[in-house]
Amino acid sequence: MNMPISGKPPKKLSLKENYALLTRGLGWETSYESMDKVFPQCDFEGIKIHDWDKWEDPFRLTMDAYWKYQGEKERKLYAIVDAFQQNNGQFNVSDARYINTLKLFLTGVSPLEYGAHRGFAMAGRNFKGAGASIAAQMQAIDELRHAQTQAHTISHYNKFFHGMHDPIHMFDRVWYLSVPKSYFEDAMTAGPFEFVTAISFSFEYVLTNLLFMPFMSGAAFNGDMATVTFGFSAQSDESRHMTLGLEVVKFILEQDPANLPIVQRWLDKWFWRGYRLLALVAMMMDYMLPKRVMSWSEAWGMYFEQNGGALFNDLARYGVRMPKYHDVAAKEKDRLSHETWGIFYNYTHAAGFHTWVPEEGEMKWLSEKYPATFDKHYRPRFEYWRDQQKKGERFYNKTLPMLCQTCQIPMGFTEPDDPTKICYRESHYRDNKFHFCSDGCKDIFDFEPEKYVQSWLPVHQVYQGNCFRPGTDPTAPGFDPLLEVLKYYNFNVGKDGGEYLDSEDKKHWEQWTGKPGVSI
Amino acid sequence: MSVVALKPGYTGEIKDRVENFHGQQLLYIGWEDHLMFCAPLCIPVPPTLPFGALTAQIIPDLYAAHPDASAIDWSKVEWFSSSQPFTPDLSKSLADNGLGHKASLRFRTPGLTGIKGSCS
Ligand SMILES: [Fe+2]
Ligand SMILES: [Fe+2]
């Protein structure tokens, strides 16, 4: 570096000056290429921005402060993770059923952190304003850190339990992981404004409490201090991300009145997509945590209906209304977790984690939390399944299910006004039929069918013969398609999935800890 | 406008065109009031399959694990195609019954309402 040596130390900038140079001074109007050519993705979504300088970042974080904070957090986190490992903390959790929530998290959520890293890096590149660009780039680094700290923390469990050995490979192939994967890729393949509205606002601001609270409080209740620690380490980033989300939406809406209908459509779409994704969290809360935090229904009431309701009241001055179909989510809140757990109970032999029938005491809890639905609709099937299992005939559904074209979840959700009838919706496009689990998913398809006709639906891909390892010969004698698909997923067949009570995880847990495999 | 895309005139590939299924077509089957099977099922079938093969063999096999399966009276079953009431001709093929690729077929078995009447 050819810095002139003056002998005088450079003047230390105030935080405000430092931030201004970073977020205004670094941007410039291009001269020998047009701004539109340098930022080609800024206009096609129809969003009009007149003055990028109106962008305000409430955190005003500078790079040196950023590195300092993050470095401190890393040191604390890894000290605790080390201690956890040395003390065999994995054996202090409630029971080995709990580990299945970590399998779901590592394979279904951590890859989304990595996706967020990629998505925010792209958004940072594509915004014309340097302030927004810097905020997106910092978040891109945060998200990479989240993916890494989660992999590092959970990797310790991988030494003792099945199902956690190849999360990225699984994420790109396994049938239920196509639900989070397609959600995130939908956002990443949209323009930069839709991406940040989807992820920063609709997910991080509106719905994130319904993802992190259940997993992190669930970890604390169930004695998993390692997971609690990475949760805390990510939480201070989350508050910055949430603020970015709110700022993005307000900024877009203040820039031009024509932006409102576009933003409202995104809020409707990404509310519904995010809500459908949270079906996995709902079943985790009500069925997979041996020590429960609160019910899904209670969490939805508190975090969406109350807090979300207040937020949308605040946004009403911009002309924004509540997301479409929030009333359907309210009607579904006493069914969502039961229907979703039923799906995984049906197909657990093809999953990377275990399922089980809740114990009698747990069913009592479910009856209390869901007085209107549990005993009437769900308890009879669980009792039947339990009886079958006692006879040595544990129920597995041997036929692949029909999937929703948009959310890609098996069509197990029921009519908004009738919990005994599957909700079927259908569209016709370019001489083909497409099927949906809900009006929310159908609306999303109908607005952009050219996008969603391309959905990689795992069931259809299996039937097309695209889910076998290279070199597999489906005409060979004794060919077993299900077994070959599970090998393509890189599952340890018979060990990663299936009934918990028959599992090696349970057997090992009892041998190694001397504690019962079912603690309650 | 059927997609918001950077490139004007962008179109997508339909991933599940019938040509991709090696001569088969997809059929979805759902049994009303029997949600122990968590979702409708999806099977590949030849378009020439006689509808009667569904009732004689295929559907009873798919749902054999359900305690109501052996009690189905096929002469009383109500059928729906794409949610509309539908009267199949058992001797004709799926195609001649108007059931094309990705047809959604549902059936109701009056009097059978699942485990302990819970629609399970
Ligand atoms: Fe994150
Ligand atoms: Fe859906």
Side-chain angles (χ1 to χ4, degrees), chain A residues 274-295:
Chain A
Y275 165 68
R276 273 292 179 248
L277 181 61
L278 290 174
L280 297 172
V281 179
M283 75 163 184
M284 195 274 287
M285 294 182 75
D286 286 343
Y287 287 90
M288 297 174 73
L289 293 174
K291 289 199 165 64
R292 287 152 171 80
V293 179
M294 60 166 75
S295 71

Side-chain angles (χ1 to χ4, degrees), chain A residues 402 426 435 448 450 463-464, chain B residues 4 12 22 28 40 42 82 102:
Chain A
M402 178 182 190
E426 193 173 311
H435 301 274
E448 289 190 281
E450 288 296 336
Y463 285 141
Q464 289 182 33
Chain B
V4 179
H22 315 288
Y28 304 112
C42 173
S82 285
K102 295 168 77 181

